Amino acid sequence: MSKKNFNLIKAILHFNIRIPFILYKLNHLSDEEFYPYYLKIANELLRVLKVNIKIEGLENLRDINKNYFVVSNHRGMIDPVIISKIFTDKRPLSYIMKSSLSNVPIIKDVGKRTNSRYLERNVKDDLKTILEIIELQKSGNNYLIFSEGTRNKTDANTLEFKAASFKIPQKAKSDIVYIGLFGTEKIFEEKCGKGFINVYLKIFKVFKYEDFKSLKTVEIAEKIRNDIDNYIEILKKDI
């Protein structure tokens, strides 16, 4: 029988007295040292929680030859860490997060060091920040956004993707790397047993700027959502 999910407590107890030291290092390491250290802590967290990530499509990252905009569905609190694991220190990620996270310890520290930005859930209400992200994207920052705007806590494979967010790669002329996630909700949000937690991640073929520059943002959102939705539907039948 499944038991309650104590993974958050397990993570806190594991790092315990090291948390102030980790926070210090996150804030004081050099730019060159920060992202490798962040990935090291992320990998340690996933090992402690016995997370087994089954990755598909890693070869598609070889198709990237310029700055890129990362899009994913959103199922669990730990999704940014899961995705960051596949982007090395040579391909650091910045994050676009909801504004309510801007004062959360560790999240705000990582956000500051990664040049991340915070948006309201309705991105149309934060045009100034979107314009700022576009300029940062043009200058070489690679941003990750969860285009559903919130975690999917329903039985649906995906929630509606917010089309306005796709103005960023269109205006910045960035390629889109989009990712499908499944099972990450088991890590913190759902009941779980004592064994390994299998989560699934698919990196789709890079959506080149030349292929979507003339599309409406609604069309981009629908294509990406449909691909991720179909991936999850197939997974549900196979696992």
Side-chain angles (χ1 to χ4, degrees), residues 70-192:
V70 184
V71 176
S72 176
N73 64 313
H74 195 13
R75 303 185 70 93
M77 289 187 290
I78 203 169
D79 290 352
V81 174
I82 297 286
I83 293 175
S84 294
K85 183 177 172 63
I86 64 173
F87 291 89
T88 69
D89 55 310
K90 295 180 181 178
R91 288 185 174 134
L93 280 182
S94 302
Y95 305 94
I96 300 174
M97 299 180 279
K98 58 186 180 182
S99 57
S100 59
L101 295 175
S102 60
N103 290 310
V104 177
I106 297 182
I107 292 177
K108 71 175 182 180
D109 299 291
V110 171
K112 179 179 179 182
R113 293 304 307 270
T114 55
N115 218 2
S116 297
R117 292 295 182 269
Y118 302 91
L119 290 177
E120 301 299 330
R121 284 186 177 175
N122 184 355
V123 294
K124 290 181 180 178
D125 294 336
D126 212 340
L127 180 59
K128 180 180 178 181
T129 304
I130 289 179
L131 293 174
E132 183 180 1
I133 294 169
I134 289 170
E135 292 306 311
L136 289 167
Q137 181 84 40
K138 286 179 179 179
S139 68
N141 286 3
N142 302 310
Y143 279 92
L144 163 66
I145 192 169
F146 296 106
S147 286
E148 291 161 302
T150 188
R151 277 179 290 146
N152 180 6
K153 302 175 185 178
T154 73
D155 292 331
N157 293 339
T158 57
L159 303 177
E160 179 184 358
F161 277 36
K162 310 299 183 185
S165 61
F166 294 100
K167 278 292 183 186
I168 296 171
Q170 275 194 324
K171 296 296 184 181
K173 298 183 179 180
S174 302
D175 292 340
I176 297 175
V177 175
Y178 61 104
I179 292 169
L181 289 175
F182 185 70
T184 58
E185 66 277 8
K186 297 176 183 177
I187 300 171
F188 285 137
E189 286 85 351
E190 293 184 357
K191 292 181 181 179
C192 66

Side-chain angles (χ1 to χ4, degrees), residues 204-235:
F204 290 82
K205 185 176 179 180
V206 175
F207 200 179
K208 300 289 189 179
Y209 168 71
E210 293 298 323
D211 294 329
F212 68 78
K213 66 179 183 180
S214 300
L215 297 179
K216 296 179 180 178
T217 54
V218 172
E219 294 174 320
I220 301 172
E222 287 179 351
K223 181 223 174 350
I224 292 176
R225 183 189 179 187
N226 286 339
D227 284 352
I228 294 174
D229 203 275
N230 290 336
Y231 163 66
I232 293 173
E233 189 63 32
I234 292 170
L235 270 180

Side-chain angles (χ1 to χ4, degrees), residues 7-101:
N7 279 340
L8 187 57
I9 296 173
K10 185 194 296 185
I12 293 171
L13 290 176
H14 172 79
F15 290 105
N16 199 3
I17 61 174
R18 292 170 54 202
I19 292 177
F21 175 72
I22 291 170
L23 286 172
Y24 178 85
K25 293 199 75 171
L26 289 176
N27 281 287
H28 291 86
L29 288 174
S30 69
D31 290 342
E32 292 76 20
E33 296 171 319
F34 166 77
Y35 202 75
Y37 179 74
Y38 166 58
L39 291 179
K40 177 183 175 183
I41 294 298
N43 285 328
E44 182 179 349
L45 174 63
L46 295 173
R47 285 197 306 271
V48 168
L49 298 177
K50 295 183 178 179
V51 177
N52 180 31
I53 307 175
K54 296 180 178 291
I55 301 177
E56 179 183 349
L58 195 59
E59 68 278 1
N60 288 323
L61 292 182
R62 292 198 293 265
D63 293 336
I64 299 172
N65 54 22
K66 60 177 182 178
N67 62 319
Y68 51 89
F69 188 71
V70 184
V71 176
S72 176
N73 64 313
H74 195 13
R75 303 185 70 93
M77 289 187 290
I78 203 169
D79 290 352
V81 174
I82 297 286
I83 293 175
S84 294
K85 183 177 172 63
I86 64 173
F87 291 89
T88 69
D89 55 310
K90 295 180 181 178
R91 288 185 174 134
L93 280 182
S94 302
Y95 305 94
I96 300 174
M97 299 180 279
K98 58 186 180 182
S99 57
S100 59
L101 295 175

